[in-house]
Amino acid sequence: MQGKIALEEHFATAATLADSQVFGAHVWNELGPRLTDFQDKRLRLMDASGVEIMIASLNAPAVQAIHDVPHAIHVAREANDVLAVEIKKRPDRFAGFAALPMQDPEAAANELTRCVKEFGFVGALVNGFSQAGKPDSALYYDLPQYRPFWKTVADLDVPFYLHPRNPLPGSIPGYEGHNWLLGPNWAFHAAINSPSSIAFKSFSGNSSSHLYHISGGSSPMAYEKQLTSVMGSMA
């Protein structure tokens, strides 16, 4: 099939490339160069796969794992600048999702606005929670301080793609020694990423029509649990 549009297609900068080494040495010789390439092998693989347009986004967890907030803002802006340059070379083949420093909701809103209005990015891709201030912190995006950010998303009328991430080390003791649980739907659900955020969006009235996510496959199984939790909190 030709003319496909591909999502969940990542790139990396020098500041974020090491985050993808978690996939293992057995694939790194191939994966590493692919993440930093745009105009060579990436295009050839797109042609071979029938992909007409790739909506590129930063690798994970990247910005969301930088607990030094000013540095997170810098890395997000730098990554978006890199992506904008590559898109400009082939706007017929590439589009972009912005990386956002969700550690600072105002900075995230400003960066999304910059990327949409100056670069023509088509939305944002953000990982399921952000660390801020200290390594063991976890900020989720249903907190009250994010309400102005969600208004910006709605005003810009662009999608917000929620990408899950593994739980913080030690936060789920049952996973210790069982790294094979990390990464798939089970870990993403246990980390309370996409499914719970879908529930929060559905019942909080915060721009639910602009939220998209990778873990749609787990949402039906998690829906009753999340619905019960949300409705209980509203009682």
Side-chain angles (χ1 to χ4, degrees), residues 28-190:
W28 189 245
N29 287 341
E30 177 69 19
L31 178 60
R34 281 197 194 188
L35 285 168
T36 55
D37 167 72
F38 268 89
Q39 308 300 331
D40 185 17
K41 190 170 186 178
R42 189 180 294 248
L43 280 172
R44 287 189 277 113
L45 290 171
M46 288 168 63
D47 291 341
S49 303
V51 174
E52 182 175 351
I53 297 175
M54 174 184 290
I55 303 179
S57 52
L58 192 62
N59 62 327
V63 176
Q64 267 62 70
I66 302 173
H67 64 274
D68 180 330
V69 178
H71 187 51
I73 295 170
H74 169 75
V75 170
R77 187 178 182 92
E78 180 182 63
N80 293 327
D81 288 345
V82 167
L83 181 55
V85 168
E86 298 296 343
I87 292 172
K88 190 174 182 179
K89 295 175 184 176
R90 291 300 304 267
D92 58 322
R93 303 303 302 274
F94 296 118
F97 278 151
L100 300 179
M102 297 297 288
Q103 294 88 338
D104 183 328
E106 183 178 359
N110 290 340
E111 183 63 10
L112 179 60
T113 300
R114 181 179 82 100
C115 289
V116 171
K117 293 190 173 181
E118 294 185 19
F119 297 149
F121 284 12
V122 296
L125 184 145
V126 167
N127 298 294
F129 61 90
S130 291
Q131 292 155 259
K134 53 185 181 177
D136 61 349
S137 60
L139 293 176
Y140 293 92
Y141 313 133
D142 57 347
L143 294 170
Q145 62 259 38
Y146 287 102
R147 289 173 183 166
F149 169 81
W150 290 116
K151 183 177 186 303
T152 297
V153 174
D155 289 345
L156 292 170
D157 195 24
V158 294
F160 180 94
Y161 192 110
L162 186 63
H163 184 280
R165 58 176 292 195
N166 285 321
L168 294 174
S171 62
I172 303 180
Y175 279 24
E176 298 300 320
H178 302 286
N179 287 341
W180 53 273
L181 283 173
L182 298 175
N185 255 1
W186 180 248
F188 291 160
H189 168 245

